[in-house]
Amino acid sequence: MEVRRLLAHGEIGEVKMIRSEFGIPLLHRPRLVEKELGGGALLSLGMYCLQLVCMVYNGERPESIQATGVCLESGVDETVIVTLKFSDKRMAVFTYSSSMQLPNDAIIVGTKGTIQIPAWMWCPTSLVVNGKETQYPLPEPCLPLNFNNGTGMRYEAEEVRQCLIK
C-alpha cells in the first residue's frame, strides 16, 4: 500500500494524529440494523477507520479509548465517535455512521506534513501528500457496483484469497 511506503520513508515525519470518517445512509439494509444478522455500523463501516489507525500505528494498542454514540432501537450501533490516545502523545479520532453521509475521507498528520486520503477513504483513487496529489485509477467495473469505487475491493478480496491459499 502506498500509504505504508510513504510512512516508512518518513515523507511526513513522525505521525502525531489520524482522523477519518466513514458514513453512508444504510439503514434500509437489514444486515446493518438487525442484531440477529450481526448488525451494527462498526463491523461494516467503522472497522475501515480502525484498520487505518492500526496500520499507521503498526498495530500498537492505544493507552486509552473513548467512544460515544447512538444505537438504533434494535440495539446495534448507528453513529459513533471514537478517540484513541497512543504513547508519545499520538492521537487518532474517527467517526462512523450507518445513518448519514459523512465526508468519507482521512488525514494522517505528521511532524513534517500530511497525507490526505480523499473520499472514498476505504478505496481511494488519489492521495495528497504535502499538498501534491497523485492519482491511482481503479479498473473499470464490468458489472454494476453497490458502492463507490467498489472495483478497488478486488485487491482486498485477492489478499484474503492469497492468505487462505497459504
Side-chain angles (χ1 to χ4, degrees):
M1 171 178 230
E2 182 64 8
V3 171
R4 286 184 198 184
R5 188 190 70 74
L6 292 165
L7 294 172
H9 285 90
E11 291 291 322
I12 62 166
E14 180 186 349
V15 176
K16 300 304 267 181
M17 169 64 91
I18 305 163
R19 191 231 4 112
S20 65
E21 295 180 316
F22 191 174
I24 301 175
L26 293 171
L27 296 181
H28 61 286
R29 303 269 172 123
R31 71 172 182 81
L32 261 89
V33 300
E34 295 179 24
K35 190 180 283 188
E36 300 77 25
L37 297 176
L42 175 62
L43 295 178
S44 293
L45 304 172
M47 61 93 173
Y48 286 92
C49 298
L50 181 58
Q51 181 59 36
L52 175 66
V53 172
C54 290
M55 180 194 73
V56 172
Y57 287 148
N58 296 312
E60 180 183 330
R61 291 179 180 250
E63 292 178 350
S64 69
I65 302 170
Q66 294 181 334
T68 188
V70 294
C71 291
L72 298 170
E73 287 184 23
S74 64
V76 302
D77 59 312
E78 173 201 301
T79 302
V80 178
I81 299 170
V82 179
T83 303
L84 305 169
K85 180 182 173 196
F86 291 85
S87 64
D88 298 323
K89 300 180 182 179
R90 296 171 299 142
M91 302 287 293
V93 62
F94 63 90
T95 306
Y96 62 91
S97 178
S98 61
S99 67
M100 66 184 89
Q101 184 73 41
L102 293 175
N104 297 319
D105 62 355
I107 187 167
I108 303 165
V109 181
T111 55
K112 296 179 183 176
T114 62
I115 299 172
Q116 295 173 283
I117 306 170
W120 312 95
M121 59 78 65
W122 65 89
C123 203
T125 56
S126 68
L127 291 175
V128 181
V129 181
N130 297 326
K132 181 183 175 201
E133 185 171 13
T134 304
Q135 298 291 322
Y136 300 92
L138 293 173
E140 287 297 319
C142 55
L143 297 170
L145 303 172
N146 291 326
F147 297 102
N148 293 341
N149 296 354
T151 55
M153 297 298 204
R154 72 189 324 163
Y155 304 116
E156 184 177 342
E158 182 59 28
E159 179 64 19
V160 169
R161 179 179 179 273
Q162 291 302 320
C163 290
L164 291 172
I165 289 172
K166 291 178 186 173

